[in-house]
Amino acid sequence: MKDRKILIVDDEPIARDNLAHIITKDGYSARVAENGQQAIDILKKEEIDLVLTDLCMKGKDGMAVLDEAKNLWPAIEVVVITGHASVDTAVEAMRRGAYHYVAKPFKINELRVIVEKALEKNLLRKEIRLLRNQVDASKGALRIVGHSRKIQALRETIHQVSQLDCNVLIQGETGTGKELVARTIHELSPRGKKRFVAFNCGVFTEELITSELFGYERGAFTGANKAKKGLLEMSEGGTVFFDEVGELPLSMQVKLLRVLQERTLLRVGGTEEIAVDFRVLAATNKDLKRETEGGGFRSDLYYRLDVLTIAVPSLSERKEDIPLLARHFLAKHARLGRIAPQLSPEAERRLMLYDYPGNIRELENIAQRILIACDGDLVEPQHIAAVFGDTEGLTIRDNREDWPSLEEHEKQYILEVLDEVEGNKSAAVKILGIDRVSLWRKIKRYGLENPDA
């Protein structure tokens, strides 16, 4: 109980000291404040589990303490104590989030019960919040499909990086899923409830980049009939993702560097600096280090962006994930009402022979073409041939002895789907494209009744 912190707020020294003595005697850690402002200052510095506050105090009263406590620490509980009890004030305190309302003089044992119950509720709130965060994190990680060692390492890196409020450079070939990595980092971060803004640096002219990112004031140029916020300003408190940041013109690199250094921006046609707060995630398929050496990218901006680097593996580096990804995309793009076809072992083998220069994006396109070629419930080699043309012309890396067995793929895939839908078998069969009986048989066959299997 020593780690449970209780803040006692009362402008009467005797009442305050007596209550602190009782709280300490009961094994709790007591903090004291002689007025509302002092209590708020304490709350801003450390997390408190329970506040016991007098209602009537000069300056910031008990209601102000209640409001600020709930705003700073959502899980906190507050008990309002006063010698001026009335139905109206009690109702108002409860409406604003107070756990209980106690009138003076109170009985010590009754207050002890209230304190114990309030701390139990506080602990429950924290546990629920922790579980919710764990579930959200699990769902976010599962969006990155695969069970290869490289993908497992990538998921772990994402979990670690998401909690660090620093700039991140995401490197990888085109089509490897760099934006998905960025979105997952954002969603798992403390900024996850705020806005995620993605901006492709390679598709706009320099003038459009300036107005899109920085916004403009009314009359800044012809057609600017009213002021407009830019994407950087609109992402306040959230995350900005600069895709293909290596394509950013040098003049824009200077402007972006200034924003990152000063944390302020100037709208086009504006005269007043605007403070901004956002996290930057940037992605590129270029070697920015080499670009800086050749003068194509500013070294000072590079080092601002490259606080941490995440390398996203190409599909050719994680070929064991191809069958899992292919089934995922077949289920994703199967037309409404159609059960996604399964891959035959030979179809899987054929898919794994190809190098996929377009990476995951190319595999998803291929899965969509397979759905057009195959109108049955099983994808056979001829359907793969219809998509690729001559499959004998595929680039072959025939290390089949190292490939995991089809059963291992299937077991892992079923496990990931069940985790994603939190054990809901009705939802699982829709994703897997099989009926409930088949799913039940596979669960029995692979011993998946135990989630740890």
Side-chain angles (χ1 to χ4, degrees), residues 247-262:
E247 303 297 329
L248 203 62
L250 283 169
S251 59
M252 283 305 305
Q253 293 179 28
V254 175
K255 295 178 181 179
L256 178 58
L257 176 63
R258 182 181 180 280
V259 173
L260 297 183
Q261 288 175 333
E262 305 298 329

Side-chain angles (χ1 to χ4, degrees), residues 256-303:
L256 178 58
L257 176 63
R258 182 181 180 280
V259 173
L260 297 183
Q261 288 175 333
E262 305 298 329
R263 289 294 169 179
T264 62
L265 60 81
L266 195 65
R267 292 180 186 171
V268 176
T271 57
E272 294 185 6
E273 297 282 350
I274 299 170
V276 287
D277 171 36
F278 53 81
R279 182 184 192 180
V280 171
L281 305 177
T284 180
N285 58 7
K286 293 184 175 182
D287 184 341
L288 285 192
K289 180 68 173 176
R290 184 174 296 176
E291 291 287 316
T292 62
E293 295 169 355
F297 200 85
R298 292 184 62 96
S299 60
D300 45 9
L301 178 58
Y302 167 69
Y303 289 115

Side-chain angles (χ1 to χ4, degrees), residues 76-326:
I76 200 169
E77 297 298 341
V78 180
V79 174
V80 175
I81 304 173
T82 182
H84 306 278
S86 74
V87 174
D88 290 342
T89 52
V91 170
E92 179 63 14
M94 300 297 282
R95 186 187 69 79
R96 289 159 79 162
Y99 175 77
H100 213 288
Y101 189 96
V102 178
K104 294 179 181 178
F106 53 82
K107 295 180 180 179
I108 296 300
N109 288 338
E110 289 180 359
L111 182 63
R112 281 188 167 122
V113 172
I114 292 171
V115 166
E116 185 178 349
K117 295 296 183 183
L119 288 173
E120 286 179 1
K121 187 175 180 181
N122 166 261
L123 186 60
L124 181 60
R125 282 179 185 269
K126 289 182 177 179
E127 288 176 348
I128 291 172
R129 184 176 60 185
L130 177 61
L131 289 171
R132 186 177 289 119
N133 290 341
Q134 289 173 344
V135 169
D136 290 344
S138 174
K139 287 181 178 178
L142 283 172
R143 291 173 57 194
I144 300 176
V145 178
H147 54 248
S148 62
R149 288 185 178 180
K150 285 185 177 290
I151 286 301
Q152 290 176 17
L154 177 62
R155 287 199 192 100
E156 181 62 30
T157 300
I158 287 171
H159 278 298
Q160 294 171 352
V161 169
S162 66
Q163 301 306 308
L164 304 174
D165 197 33
C166 61
N167 299 338
V168 179
L169 184 62
I170 305 168
Q171 294 185 308
E173 296 176 7
T174 298
T176 50
K178 297 187 290 294
E179 182 171 345
L180 177 59
V181 169
R183 286 185 180 276
T184 306
I185 291 172
H186 167 73
E187 290 170 4
L188 300 182
S189 76
R191 296 178 181 265
K193 301 300 181 182
K194 299 291 185 177
R195 189 168 180 177
F196 176 89
V197 174
F199 184 81
N200 192 315
C201 301
V203 299
F204 294 100
T205 63
E206 186 173 336
E207 292 75 15
L208 283 175
I209 291 175
T210 303
S211 60
E212 285 294 310
L213 288 180
F214 295 90
Y216 51 81
E217 297 291 353
R218 180 181 179 182
F221 50 82
T222 303
N225 299 321
K226 60 180 180 179
K228 179 187 175 183
K229 289 183 178 182
L231 293 177
L232 298 182
E233 198 175 341
M234 292 167 62
S235 65
E236 180 66 21
T239 302
V240 180
F241 172 58
F242 291 98
D243 197 7
E244 303 303 340
V245 72
E247 303 297 329
L248 203 62
L250 283 169
S251 59
M252 283 305 305
Q253 293 179 28
V254 175
K255 295 178 181 179
L256 178 58
L257 176 63
R258 182 181 180 280
V259 173
L260 297 183
Q261 288 175 333
E262 305 298 329
R263 289 294 169 179
T264 62
L265 60 81
L266 195 65
R267 292 180 186 171
V268 176
T271 57
E272 294 185 6
E273 297 282 350
I274 299 170
V276 287
D277 171 36
F278 53 81
R279 182 184 192 180
V280 171
L281 305 177
T284 180
N285 58 7
K286 293 184 175 182
D287 184 341
L288 285 192
K289 180 68 173 176
R290 184 174 296 176
E291 291 287 316
T292 62
E293 295 169 355
F297 200 85
R298 292 184 62 96
S299 60
D300 45 9
L301 178 58
Y302 167 69
Y303 289 115
R304 277 279 175 179
L305 297 175
D306 189 31
V307 177
L308 288 172
T309 300
I310 293 181
V312 183
S314 65
L315 193 52
S316 62
E317 296 177 273
R318 43 179 291 219
K319 283 209 161 189
E320 59 265 48
D321 289 331
I322 290 173
L324 184 63
L325 284 161

